[in-house]
Amino acid sequence: MNQVLPDRSSLKNYGITKTFKAGDEIVSEDAPVQSIPIVLRGSLKVMQSDDEFREMVMYYLQPGETCVMSFLAALYNDTSKVKAVAEEETEVVFIPIGKMRELMSKDPKWLNYVFQIYHKRFEELLDVVNAIAFKKMDERLLQFLEKKAEVSGSRDIKITHEQLGQELSTAREVISRLLKQMENEGLVELGRNRITLTSRS
Amino acid sequence: MNQVLPDRSSLKNYGITKTFKAGDEIVSEDAPVQSIPIVLRGSLKVMQSDDEFREMVMYYLQPGETCVMSFLAALYNDTSKVKAVAEEETEVVFIPIGKMRELMSKDPKWLNYVFQIYHKRFEELLDVVNAIAFKKMDERLLQFLEKKAEVSGSRDIKITHEQLGQELSTAREVISRLLKQMENEGLVELGRNRITLTSRS
DNA sequence: ATTCCAATGTGATAAATGTCACTGAGTTTA
DNA sequence: TAAACTCAGTGACATTTATCACATTGGAAT
């Protein structure tokens, strides 16, 4: 899927490259968007938030992927409805929307790239809807940890219960209790700031 | 927004037109998709379902709009992850994906059309996530009824509590109780198979 | 090593929603 | 008109999640 991006090596020529540290906010909610971020290295999480308190992670962006929300917002001079935060040290190139239009019209590969990313994101959004609509928190938590593991490439996840609560939009205590239960079932091992998914999970 | 669709009058020449009755299923879950439905008249609701029991309405399609999920599925030879059901008597033209590709590459207006629909659908999906993640059922119910009213063009909604429960993925009793409460607050008037939104709501 | 603090563990309780059981009202059908 | 059926109203109770209060623990800082 990543290989889809046409001409990845020359990406940096099309826009400005910036490097972010874990926790940095790359795109803010309600901010107007004029250029499209494409992840070169690292990963981002894209989320929606309530009244600035609760939030909800929608999906992750990995190298070669772009934020479709930004893309559409830029295309229609709209503001971003989501925010994006770096999960780890992350390098992002921002391509101006005009350049993007040009690339898409000149090279069908770019168009295809955009459609593929759409496809992926839509499916992920559907999964999120599915999870919060139909599943209970224990299942959602496990699914979420698996996703984190996948994105970070390690089954050893560095995160606090508080943060997990934020990203799943629930209370820390709920996370703590569920994790404890999962530990008893042998699905995870717990440590301070660390959750390790066992092979059984 | 609807006017965006390029050349609406000749749409019928590009594919097969079919008419559906209220409740008919236009696109099924897990069915392979080879042609893109565009609504000519009436309206569809697009939803996701659990294990065939519970379901969840994601958004409505009105005349001139197409199902982006079908579009992406067709583009990548995938199956539909959602199902679409006619809300009322609805006329739909099915355009083969090949024809669609041709139209998009020949006429940038078509491409623009597709992107605009994407934009709209993404925002609606975000609204759904926002609602189920952050809002309580009373607020969701009211919001849902307003949407229904908007789509059908009437503040007099013909539906049973059972159906509402299905579409919001909750129990009938919950709907009944909340509606009763809303009636006491003067937000709605209730009748058998009918809910009327008052001016105050 | 002692202190301090963030992170975690856990009980008690509340709130929202889900489930069950049943009643009754309005419609349709025989 | 009388049955039969669908839809709606409602009490009682279960489950899930949220909230509050406070104890404990592991590491970092001094």
Side-chain angles (χ1 to χ4, degrees):
Chain A
M1 171 65 95
N2 287 339
Q3 275 51 323
V4 160
L5 212 171
D7 200 8
R8 194 135 146 219
S9 53
S10 61
L11 267 183
K12 288 190 181 184
N13 303 330
Y14 300 144
I16 297 162
T17 304
K18 283 186 192 162
T19 302
F20 296 90
K21 283 195 291 294
D24 284 356
E25 196 165 316
I26 283 95
V27 177
S28 306
E29 238 161 331
D30 299 320
V33 183
Q34 265 107 36
S35 53
I36 319 298
I38 299 182
V39 176
L40 295 176
R41 181 170 56 80
S43 59
L44 303 182
K45 62 182 173 196
V46 175
M47 55 188 125
Q48 194 178 19
S49 68
D50 193 25
D51 20 39
E52 214 53 48
F53 298 110
R54 290 178 296 179
E55 51 189 36
M56 177 68 133
V57 171
M58 321 272 278
Y59 46 76
Y60 294 91
L61 298 185
Q62 301 215 258
E65 298 187 342
T66 183
C67 179
V68 285
M69 287 309 302
S70 299
F71 179 77
L72 288 174
L75 215 51
Y76 297 109
N77 271 314
D78 205 348
T79 57
S80 175
K81 299 293 183 297
V82 296
K83 67 177 179 179
V85 172
E87 274 273 292
E88 52 193 302
E89 169 153 325
T90 299
E91 199 181 4
V92 178
V93 54
F94 291 88
I95 303 187
I97 180 64
K99 186 71 190 173
M100 198 73 190
R101 278 178 192 278
E102 182 195 323
L103 288 168
M104 286 194 328
S105 66
K106 274 190 187 158
D107 186 350
K109 284 208 197 74
W110 272 91
L111 189 59
N112 192 41
Y113 163 68
V114 170
F115 277 129
Q116 285 216 11
I117 298 288
Y118 267 120
H119 191 209
K120 198 169 175 186
R121 287 298 97 77
F122 247 111
E123 295 207 336
E124 283 174 316
L125 259 189
L126 288 184
D127 284 346
V128 169
V129 170
N130 198 291
I132 54 184
F134 304 133
K135 309 230 168 110
K136 280 188 294 181
M137 198 48 89
D138 54 351
E139 209 179 330
R140 285 180 55 201
L141 176 55
L142 192 54
Q143 185 179 312
F144 192 74
L145 290 172
E146 288 287 355
K147 196 103 200 175
K148 281 249 183 211
E150 196 187 311
V151 169
S152 72
S154 158
R155 294 182 74 72
D156 203 72
I157 300 159
K158 306 288 185 208
I159 195 169
T160 68
H161 300 183
E162 176 68 39
Q163 275 177 275
L164 275 173
Q166 285 258 325
E167 303 192 358
L168 286 168
S169 192
T170 183
R172 175 194 64 81
E173 294 92 321
V174 173
I175 300 289
S176 290
R177 273 189 264 263
L178 291 176
L179 281 175
K180 208 66 199 166
Q181 191 183 310
M182 285 162 62
E183 190 181 41
N184 292 337
E185 291 165 5
L187 295 174
V188 295
E189 280 171 30
L190 302 180
R192 192 185 170 86
N193 296 317
R194 183 181 55 75
I195 298 161
T196 310
L197 289 166
T198 62
S199 47
R200 302 181 42 200
S201 53
Chain B
M1 171 66 96
N2 287 339
Q3 274 52 323
V4 161
L5 212 171
D7 201 9
R8 195 137 147 218
S9 53
S10 59
L11 268 183
K12 289 190 180 184
N13 304 330
Y14 301 143
I16 297 162
T17 304
K18 282 185 192 163
T19 302
F20 297 89
K21 282 197 292 293
D24 285 356
E25 196 165 315
I26 283 94
V27 178
S28 306
E29 237 161 331
D30 298 319
V33 183
Q34 265 108 35
S35 51
I36 319 298
I38 299 182
V39 176
L40 295 177
R41 181 169 56 79
S43 59
L44 303 182
K45 63 182 173 197
V46 175
M47 56 188 125
Q48 194 178 21
S49 68
D50 193 25
D51 19 38
E52 213 54 50
F53 298 110
R54 290 178 295 180
E55 51 189 36
M56 177 69 133
V57 172
M58 322 271 279
Y59 45 76
Y60 294 92
L61 298 184
Q62 301 215 262
E65 298 187 342
T66 183
C67 179
V68 285
M69 287 310 301
S70 300
F71 180 76
L72 288 173
L75 217 50
Y76 297 107
N77 269 314
D78 205 348
T79 56
S80 175
K81 299 292 182 297
V82 296
K83 68 177 178 179
V85 173
E87 274 273 292
E88 52 193 303
E89 170 154 323
T90 299
E91 198 180 6
V92 178
V93 54
F94 290 87
I95 303 185
I97 181 65
K99 185 72 190 174
M100 199 73 190
R101 279 179 192 276
E102 184 195 322
L103 289 168
M104 284 192 332
S105 65
K106 275 190 186 158
D107 185 350
K109 284 208 197 73
W110 272 91
L111 188 58
N112 193 41
Y113 163 69
V114 170
F115 277 128
Q116 284 216 11
I117 298 287
Y118 267 121
H119 191 209
K120 197 168 174 187
R121 287 297 97 78
F122 248 111
E123 295 207 336
E124 283 174 317
L125 260 188
L126 288 184
D127 284 345
V128 169
V129 170
N130 198 289
I132 54 185
F134 304 133
K135 308 233 168 109
K136 281 188 293 180
M137 198 49 88
D138 54 351
E139 208 179 330
R140 286 181 55 202
L141 177 56
L142 192 55
Q143 185 180 312
F144 192 74
L145 289 172
E146 290 286 355
K147 195 106 202 172
K148 280 251 182 210
E150 195 187 313
V151 169
S152 72
S154 159
R155 295 182 73 73
D156 204 73
I157 299 159
K158 305 290 186 205
I159 196 170
T160 68
H161 299 183
E162 176 68 38
Q163 274 177 275
L164 276 172
Q166 286 258 323
E167 304 193 355
L168 286 167
S169 192
T170 183
R172 175 194 63 80
E173 294 92 323
V174 173
I175 300 290
S176 291
R177 273 188 266 262
L178 291 176
L179 282 174
K180 208 67 199 169
Q181 191 183 309
M182 285 163 61
E183 190 180 42
N184 291 337
E185 291 165 5
L187 295 174
V188 295
E189 281 171 30
L190 302 179
R192 192 187 170 83
N193 295 318
R194 184 181 54 76
I195 297 161
T196 310
L197 289 166
T198 62
S199 46
R200 303 182 40 200
S201 51

